[in-house]
Amino acid sequence: MTTGTLITVAPTGAESAKAEVPALPVTLDELLLTAKECEALGAAVIHVHIRDDEAKPTLDQGRLRETVAALRDSTDLIVQLSSGGAVTDPESARLAVLDAAPDMASCTMGTLNFGDDVFLNRWEFIVDLHTRMQEKGIVPEYEIFDLGHLTALQRLLGKHGLPHGGHVHVDFVMGVPGGMPGTTGTLVAAHQMLRDLPEGTTFSATGIGRSTIPVMLASLSAGGHLRVGMEDTVSYAKGRPVESNMQLVARAVGFAQLAQRPPLTTAEARTLLGL
């Protein structure tokens, strides 16, 4: 489906500190306000990381369940929880994210040098995450940080079957130091590799930092979808901090409309993703 654009907002992430980025939504009330604002503009999916009372990343099960319930009560957004958490989170806590029963969850397809850290995703952990989502009726978004991750996804689907709902959707996360660069050439290469995945596979693309705009434009031109938000960039332009996630979603919506591929409604997004 390329007649419309799936827009995902990733409002918080686990990397930025509230003290350094005051506009970052870290409380449940802040997250709900952001969710409502971004849904009104055209976002259909919200990719969620949560914070504790000190605004530090957490995978606390009670907070996750409360967050999922509140988002469902206040919006019609597709709720996608991050199973990545922070780079220091143990595998057991990352798997337990699924117990909060989101609509979707992320599944990162390999280990990555992540800036100065290592984001560890062992093969056995990936298989466990994939198969548990099948059992629980949760739709995965396969996070692709490097081209080899697409080959790993082909292996995963070949050995362990299609995800719940039968539709494969990936997100190219581009521009992370240690991962694939956020360039048009790289997106073209990644897009070509989708031929090895099941027919009908769709993709979104995320440009980290200064690669945000080039990746958005390249993704739209290739028939892809968009993920934006303060998880991925806290600068709207050089020397201009992001004031809210609304700014980033509004820009993505504007680009999608210019490409004559307006934002998908939440109902259309659910159909696309096999929810």
Side-chain angles (χ1 to χ4, degrees), residues 64-237:
L64 285 170
R65 290 177 183 272
E66 182 185 14
T67 300
V68 170
L71 285 167
R72 286 207 177 114
D73 187 53
S74 301
T75 77
D76 192 42
L77 290 170
I78 296 165
V79 181
Q80 180 190 111
L81 292 182
S82 169
S83 71
V87 293
T88 53
D89 286 321
E91 290 180 354
S92 57
R94 293 168 60 193
L95 286 170
V97 163
L98 303 180
D99 295 335
D103 303 301
M104 299 182 73
S106 60
C107 180
T108 298
M109 288 307 306
T111 295
L112 181 80
N113 286 325
F114 198 94
D116 296 333
D117 298 305
V118 176
F119 185 24
L120 183 63
N121 291 279
R122 299 181 308 112
W123 176 249
E124 292 84 355
F125 172 73
I126 293 169
V127 169
D128 207 356
L129 196 57
H130 172 79
T131 54
R132 288 194 192 194
M133 280 197 255
Q134 287 173 322
E135 294 163 4
K136 291 176 177 289
I138 297 169
V139 172
E141 178 178 85
Y142 300 102
E143 306 294 341
I144 307 299
F145 286 81
D146 222 338
L147 296 182
H149 290 180
L150 285 167
T151 305
L153 177 55
Q154 183 185 8
R155 177 188 176 203
L156 179 72
L157 299 174
K159 286 181 174 288
H160 299 283
L162 291 172
H164 172 74
H167 178 77
V168 179
H169 181 72
V170 305
D171 180 42
F172 301 146
V173 186
M174 310 179 74
V176 172
M180 60 182 168
T183 62
T184 300
T186 305
L187 189 138
V188 169
H191 182 240
Q192 289 176 333
M193 290 180 68
L194 292 183
R195 297 173 189 166
D196 296 326
L197 296 176
E199 185 177 355
T201 294
T202 53
F203 76 95
S204 295
T206 306
I208 302 299
R210 68 185 66 184
S211 69
T212 294
I213 292 176
V215 166
M216 274 200 290
L217 295 173
S219 184
L220 285 169
S221 71
H225 304 280
L226 305 178
R227 184 183 107 169
V228 297
M230 294 181 72
E231 172 171 354
D232 305 319
T233 182
V234 293
S235 295
Y236 189 77

